[in-house]
Amino acid sequence: MKIHRIDHIGINVNDLAAAKAFFVEFGLEVHGEWEAEGAWLDVIVGLENVKTSCVALRSPDGQTWLELVQYIHPTDENGVQQTHSNTLGIRHICFAVDDIEAIVDKMKKKGMEAFSEIQNYKDIYKMCYVRGPEGIILELAERIN
């Protein structure tokens, strides 16, 4: 028995269209869109009468797959909870990028919040944390040659 790889990362969102647009603008590509419901899904996710809409996004190299999921039923009664980078649990997704300055400038113009200015980490990486739609935290890392 062995683990091969992480297959995908699922992100639950309230506004699927806005989250999709954000990640497409960021540079990911739509790989598929679908709706899912039925007893099999209820059992898998541990809820009743589940109905979802989903968008699969891939990085241009095909290595990374994000699955955006909107629960049409049941919805999360608490809504979006803004978290901090030190909140326990899965907290951010890191993307290796080229030209971090251009990406951050472009995304700021689209309303993305940066936690701080881009930082140089030991002359190995330029890095920063940014917040996308619905509180999603992304880390951007550009390797310094």
Side-chain angles (χ1 to χ4, degrees):
M1 181 174 98
K2 70 177 185 176
I3 296 173
H4 295 281
R5 61 182 162 68
I6 293 175
D7 184 74
H8 69 277
I9 298 166
I11 302 173
N12 294 345
V13 298
N14 282 325
D15 188 338
L16 188 60
K20 173 186 166 185
F22 171 81
F23 282 105
V24 167
E25 182 73 25
F26 179 67
L28 299 183
E29 301 166 350
V30 175
H31 185 68
E33 299 185 50
W34 67 94
E35 290 192 351
E37 63 183 312
W40 66 273
L41 185 56
D42 294 358
V43 171
I44 290 171
V45 301
L47 298 168
E48 293 181 6
N49 302 313
V50 175
K51 182 174 183 180
T52 62
S53 288
C54 306
V55 175
L57 299 156
R58 288 198 177 212
S59 58
D61 67 2
Q63 299 275 333
T64 303
W65 177 19
L66 294 183
E67 183 179 278
L68 303 177
V69 180
Q70 178 182 12
Y71 277 80
I72 297 164
H73 187 270
T75 59
D76 182 352
E77 296 171 4
N78 296 319
V80 175
Q81 305 293 309
Q82 291 289 346
T83 60
H84 300 283
S85 56
N86 68 339
T87 301
L88 298 178
I90 297 173
R91 201 48 50 218
H92 74 274
I93 302 168
C94 182
F95 286 92
V97 300
D98 290 328
D99 199 354
I100 193 171
E101 289 89 356
I103 291 171
V104 170
D105 286 344
K106 174 182 169 184
M107 299 313 287
K108 277 183 178 179
K109 290 175 183 171
K110 299 289 184 180
M112 179 187 71
E113 169 196 348
F115 282 57
S116 67
E117 297 300 315
I118 297 166
Q119 299 296 304
N120 180 316
Y121 175 72
K122 298 184 178 184
D123 289 327
I124 300 170
Y125 285 100
K126 289 190 248 180
M127 315 171 79
C128 69
Y129 272 30
V130 297
R131 188 182 307 275
E134 302 194 39
I136 298 167
I137 298 172
L138 302 180
E139 178 182 357
L140 308 179
E142 178 183 345
R143 186 140 181 106
I144 299 171
N145 294 329

